Amino acid sequence: LAKTTQPISMDSYEGQEVNITCSHNNIATNDYITWYQQFPSQGPRFIIQGYKTKVTNEVASLFIPADRKSSTLSLPRVSLSDTAVYYCLVAETGAGSYQLTFGKGTKLSVIP
Amino acid sequence: EPEVTQTPSHQVTQMGQEVILRCVPISNHLYFYWYRQILGQKVEFLVSFYNNEISEKSEIFDDQFSVERPDGSNFTLKIRSTKLEDSAMYFCASSGGSSNQPQHFGDGTRLSIL
């Protein structure tokens, strides 16, 4: 299972764009990159998943360079409610059943 | 939007007792999982379940634990002879039948062993 490295914490002001970068140097060919958000006392909530290049949905964008050894989660115009822990995970999601290995994540604090 | 639901939200049990944590996965999902998170620590994988059998389990998931899908909607985690160190949040997750489907998590059951 590929190991990921991401900053322990980040601070941002409301309305700014936040970019959280994750390193996964040992990512395997069949691994996908998935980001989750977790609020205290709640389960992880799926944000976005991608394999290469760029993926965008209604809440975030995910940028993955050609070598796939890193990825960047971009949150546009954050609000106070985006204060949470963000996890970057890599897993062979195409295998049907797969286990997710969570790290410590990035604790994002949005400041008014 | 369909979601994974877990009951109870909080379970308090005496050490040595058995507990059953219940989950209703998203209805058309085929893969089911249990994770746990000890307070202040990382989310840890326990077990995955597919086609009425365990497909993968971690070293945490020893003989004290068992999982079952007793009917078409529920997915349960049983913990026998609970210990103080079993106190944690337990999260159920499910994922769809096609490949590259993300796992969706419930909001967990907080298990407190006294």
Side-chain angles (χ1 to χ4, degrees), chain A residues 36 38 49 97-100, chain B residues 33 37 56 100-101 103:
Chain A
Y36 283 84
Q38 187 179 29
Q49 178 175 282
S97 175
Y98 58 94
Q99 66 170 273
L100 292 173
Chain B
Y33 312 84
Q37 185 174 31
E56 203 171 1
N100 307 324
Q101 293 297 303
Q103 293 180 23

Side-chain angles (χ1 to χ4, degrees), chain A residues 54-68:
Chain A
K54 177 183 175 183
V55 180
T56 298
N57 62 22
E58 62 275 10
V59 297
S61 295
L62 179 60
F63 299 92
I64 306 167
D67 66 5
R68 302 196 335 117

Side-chain angles (χ1 to χ4, degrees), chain A residues 87-107:
Chain A
Y87 298 98
C88 163
L89 302 104
V90 294
E92 190 178 344
T93 62
S97 175
Y98 58 94
Q99 66 170 273
L100 292 173
T101 301
F102 285 81
K104 294 186 178 180
T106 297
K107 185 173 183 179

Side-chain angles (χ1 to χ4, degrees), chain A residues 35-94:
Chain A
W35 285 80
Y36 283 84
Q37 173 193 56
Q38 187 179 29
F39 298 112
S41 299
Q42 293 187 25
R45 184 174 77 95
F46 169 77
I47 302 174
I48 198 166
Q49 178 175 282
Y51 184 81
K52 61 181 179 180
T53 62
K54 177 183 175 183
V55 180
T56 298
N57 62 22
E58 62 275 10
V59 297
S61 295
L62 179 60
F63 299 92
I64 306 167
D67 66 5
R68 302 196 335 117
K69 293 184 183 298
S70 67
S71 59
T72 299
L73 174 72
S74 181
L75 305 172
R77 297 179 300 280
V78 294
S79 64
L80 296 177
S81 62
D82 292 317
T83 294
V85 179
Y86 292 81
Y87 298 98
C88 163
L89 302 104
V90 294
E92 190 178 344
T93 62

Side-chain angles (χ1 to χ4, degrees), chain B residues 15-107:
Chain B
M15 185 171 57
Q17 297 296 305
E18 174 182 286
V19 295
I20 297 177
L21 309 183
R22 303 180 191 280
C23 169
V24 178
I26 294 173
S27 63
N28 62 345
H29 283 183
L30 301 178
Y31 303 93
F32 313 114
Y33 312 84
W34 283 101
Y35 293 80
R36 79 171 186 190
Q37 185 174 31
I38 296 171
L39 184 64
Q41 297 187 24
K42 298 182 290 185
V43 177
E44 301 174 289
F45 170 78
L46 292 178
V47 65
S48 58
F49 191 87
Y50 169 71
N51 200 25
N52 285 320
E53 61 183 25
I54 292 173
S55 46
E56 203 171 1
K57 61 182 180 179
S58 72
E59 58 187 23
I60 301 170
F61 194 89
D62 58 21
D63 292 343
Q64 186 193 2
F65 296 87
S66 62
V67 290
E68 192 178 30
R69 187 156 164 83
D71 54 42
S73 60
N74 290 286
F75 180 51
T76 63
L77 174 69
K78 182 188 291 185
I79 310 174
R80 290 178 284 273
S81 302
T82 51
K83 299 173 284 194
L84 295 176
E85 53 265 40
D86 294 327
S87 296
M89 286 288 289
Y90 287 82
F91 296 111
C92 173
S94 67
S95 60
S98 57
S99 63
N100 307 324
Q101 293 297 303
Q103 293 180 23
H104 294 272
F105 287 74
D107 275 340

Side-chain angles (χ1 to χ4, degrees), chain A residues 19-40:
Chain A
N19 296 308
I20 307 175
T21 297
C22 176
S23 298
H24 26 80
N25 291 316
N26 297 322
I27 189 169
T29 303
N30 296 331
D31 285 342
Y32 275 67
I33 300 153
T34 310
W35 285 80
Y36 283 84
Q37 173 193 56
Q38 187 179 29
F39 298 112

